[in-house]
Amino acid sequence: MLAPPVTGAPWAPNMPLPGSSKENSREFRRSRRHRTALCLLGGAVASHRLCSQRAAVRTRRRIRELAAVRTDEATSRFVTWMDSSSIKRSAKLEILPDKEGRCVVCTQRFDRGELLVQLPAAAAISVEMSPEAPLTPELKALEPWWRKHPRSSIRLAAKLVFQREQYPLEQIYAPWRWKEQDLQFLPQSLVLKAQARKEALEAAYQDLEQEGLSDAIPEDLFLRAHHAVASRAFAGEGEVPSSRAAALAVGGLSIFAAGSAAALGVTSVDFAAMAGAALMAASGAVVVTSQSPQVLSLLPMIDQVNHRSGAPPDLQFDPTNGLWQLRATRAYEPGEEIVFSYGDKDSDALLLQHGFVEEDNGADQLRLMVPEAGSFGLSAEVKSELAEAGIEELCFDGSLEKLPVSKRSLTEVVEATLRCAAGDCRRSEDAKVAQEVSSPGIGRVLLCWRGERRKLLKAAATQWQVEDLIAEIED
């Protein structure tokens, strides 16, 4: 029997012993390198095979989940209405309920550029965005209320309910519909924005009640319709010749998600849509610029596609045939959800406007209010310096070093602000949050927001060398 090689050397009985001769030694080294390369190659192949197997398992599991889900009644009515409105969707698409609402999934493979949805312009649900826009005959009953409320998002919500459009209205998980027991877990800056929206919508509905329209436009439907408009409507150029015809006379991809309010630095859906249209025109994206009025529209089926950071929708309008066409921006495998980007929005903006939070959002930013003087180590002197510079909020986007304050003051306020925020989202408090919120849906959204906030805080703490804060956050 051959003697074993030195410890650690790859060896087999048919290999020459190392060191028996110079030739044998060179042959052994070549064989060793060859075997090592084969091992590495085999490991890579095995790893790739394992990843493929895991992906296949996830796909099969997703397909089983989809098969187990029954379409809800509202979605069934919506599908029936779409068929009667000549809205064509690929036979490889399904609308299914998910935890927070609905999703559009594929049951067979889609190639990039393949047609997903084709929507006649007449099937769009639209209003002109001009405050002076005239009412169509079908909406004359709303005229006094309409003149008092010029905001197009509120008008479109009322129209949607008044005309009893078969548009699927989801549950609302946005903070403006939360109860006080839920809002206590959000920063005051977000609470104030949520309350402002709630007050505006309540005032609009009180006026509907005073006009005797509460039976025609029930409050719950009105609020849910506004949520649909605020989170899923598109803005563009066009005309609204009748209540059912919204011929959006634009060329090319000249629409803009009205939900991009936060990305544009404004909070009104109307202002966002106007600014979005101007931005598109300025960037040269509008192929044909017309004198048509600005409109705010829901594009049924197209606007059921959920948000995911990445590519915007491949949405084109064919003015010759009056058709909107949505195409796949990439290849999709069976069981995958069809998604496109609503715009670059951080977690706060997604939560406030849409009522959900995206995990590992590439557009996420940490914005924090500066605490009061005397708290978390922030001196009155530094607080006064910040007030003189008009600084009430810190944005951790790489621009803090440019603030007009001394380096010492900046370090102090950054550390104080991070410590203040860390106390509101400790991991150890998650169980309490889940128990005290008013519904499981709000609990899921809130816990996701807290998880993303912790990621941002830990990154900022590392950058500004406040490492002990990480342990406090994860406590």
Side-chain angles (χ1 to χ4, degrees):
M1 179 180 290
L2 293 173
V6 294
T7 303
W11 178 83
N14 62 343
M15 291 177 60
L17 286 173
S20 59
S21 69
K22 289 184 178 180
E23 184 63 29
N24 283 347
S25 180
R26 284 195 296 271
E27 181 65 26
F28 176 77
R29 287 194 296 271
R30 284 196 297 271
S31 177
R32 180 178 181 178
R33 288 194 297 270
H34 178 66
R35 287 171 61 82
T36 301
L38 286 177
C39 289
L40 292 174
L41 178 60
V45 171
S47 177
H48 175 72
R49 185 180 296 117
L50 180 61
C51 290
S52 299
Q53 290 172 348
R54 288 174 176 171
V57 169
R58 287 196 299 268
T59 299
R60 288 195 296 269
R61 183 168 61 244
R62 179 60 171 160
I63 292 174
R64 287 196 301 270
E65 291 172 353
L66 298 179
V69 174
R70 292 189 176 184
T71 303
D72 61 309
E73 183 181 349
T75 301
S76 297
R77 291 197 304 268
F78 177 56
V79 170
T80 301
W81 174 80
M82 281 196 299
D83 293 340
S84 67
S85 301
S86 301
I87 300 172
K88 296 181 179 179
R89 68 191 186 284
S90 170
K92 297 187 287 185
L93 289 181
E94 279 193 89
I95 307 178
L96 295 175
D98 64 8
K99 291 180 180 179
E100 270 71 51
R102 295 177 183 85
C103 59
V104 179
V105 298
C106 58
T107 56
Q108 300 178 44
R109 177 182 168 84
F110 270 101
D111 294 322
R112 181 179 179 181
E114 192 172 345
L115 183 65
L116 301 173
V117 182
Q118 182 169 281
L119 173 78
I125 307 167
S126 307
V127 296
E128 288 187 26
M129 297 182 65
S130 169
E132 293 78 27
L135 271 174
T136 55
E138 293 82 357
L139 299 176
K140 281 297 183 182
L142 301 178
E143 188 167 13
W145 178 88
W146 194 273
R147 288 198 304 267
K148 188 174 181 179
H149 294 277
R151 186 169 292 182
S152 57
S153 57
I154 292 179
R155 286 179 171 181
L156 183 53
K159 175 180 178 178
L160 187 64
V161 179
F162 185 77
Q163 294 188 325
R164 290 295 192 269
E165 300 285 4
Q166 296 297 319
Y167 189 90
L169 300 176
E170 302 168 339
Q171 293 298 322
I172 303 173
Y173 296 116
W176 60 271
R177 285 290 280 169
W178 291 8
K179 298 179 180 179
E180 290 297 327
Q181 67 192 85
D182 307 319
L183 292 173
Q184 65 173 315
F185 298 111
L186 285 181
Q188 187 65 15
S189 57
L190 296 187
V191 172
L192 292 176
K193 293 177 182 178
Q195 289 175 338
R197 174 167 292 189
K198 179 181 179 180
E199 290 169 2
L201 290 172
E202 287 178 346
Y205 192 76
Q206 286 174 3
D207 290 339
L208 282 171
E209 288 180 319
Q210 291 177 1
E211 295 293 336
L213 294 168
S214 57
D215 290 337
I217 306 177
E219 182 177 14
D220 181 64
L221 291 181
F222 173 73
L223 295 177
R224 290 166 65 187
H226 184 272
H227 179 64
V229 171
S231 60
R232 295 187 181 271
F234 292 89
E237 291 181 340
E239 52 181 315
V240 189
S242 71
S243 62
R244 293 288 301 126
L248 306 184
V250 294
L253 181 57
S254 57
I255 64 165
F256 195 88
S260 297
L264 294 164
V266 292
T267 55
S268 163
V269 173
D270 301 56
F271 286 134
M274 290 291 193
L279 179 64
M280 295 291 281
S283 66
V286 179
V287 178
V288 177
T289 303
S290 71
Q291 298 302 313
S292 301
Q294 292 288 334
V295 295
L296 188 66
S297 303
L298 288 168
L299 306 180
M301 184 62 195
I302 292 174
D303 51 29
Q304 293 300 296
V305 177
N306 287 328
H307 166 81
R308 191 72 47 79
S309 293
D314 181 0
L315 181 59
Q316 303 285 338
F317 183 74
D318 178 2
T320 303
N321 298 310
L323 294 173
W324 289 100
Q325 293 182 332
L326 178 68
R327 297 184 179 275
T329 56
R330 63 172 177 85
Y332 284 91
E333 297 299 328
E336 283 195 85
E337 181 181 358
I338 306 296
V339 293
F340 55 65
S341 174
Y342 293 178
D344 291 338
K345 301 184 179 185
D346 61 24
S347 293
D348 291 355
L350 289 174
L351 179 64
L352 284 170
Q353 183 120 12
H354 302 280
F356 66 82
V357 177
E358 181 183 8
E359 293 187 25
D360 300 318
N361 178 6
D364 217 352
Q365 286 186 346
L366 183 63
R367 294 178 179 272
L368 301 174
M369 296 299 295
V370 175
E372 295 297 324
S375 61
F376 302 97
L378 183 62
S379 66
E381 177 187 357
V382 172
K383 180 70 173 180
S384 176
E385 184 180 354
L386 294 168
E388 291 177 2
I391 300 171
E392 298 180 348
E393 181 184 70
L394 300 184
C395 181
F396 292 78
D397 60 354
S399 63
L400 287 179
E401 291 84 353
K402 300 177 183 179
L403 293 178
V405 296
S406 67
K407 185 175 181 179
R408 184 190 67 81
S409 297
L410 180 61
T411 301
E412 181 178 315
V413 69
V414 165
E415 181 172 347
T417 302
L418 289 174
R419 292 192 184 281
C420 177
D424 292 332
C425 61
R426 292 189 182 94
R427 188 180 297 276
S428 59
E429 297 291 318
D430 282 357
K432 175 184 176 182
V433 172
Q435 290 177 352
E436 295 188 9
V437 292
S438 60
S439 76
I442 291 175
R444 285 193 299 269
V445 173
L446 187 51
L447 290 178
C448 187
W449 177 85
R450 287 169 62 86
E452 296 307 300
R453 173 60 67 99
R454 279 194 291 268
K455 293 176 186 177
L456 296 175
L457 284 170
K458 288 190 289 185
T462 300
Q463 178 186 356
W464 289 89
Q465 300 179 351
V466 195
E467 283 83 358
D468 66 298
L469 193 64
I470 297 178
E472 181 180 344
I473 295 170
E474 293 294 337
D475 179 23

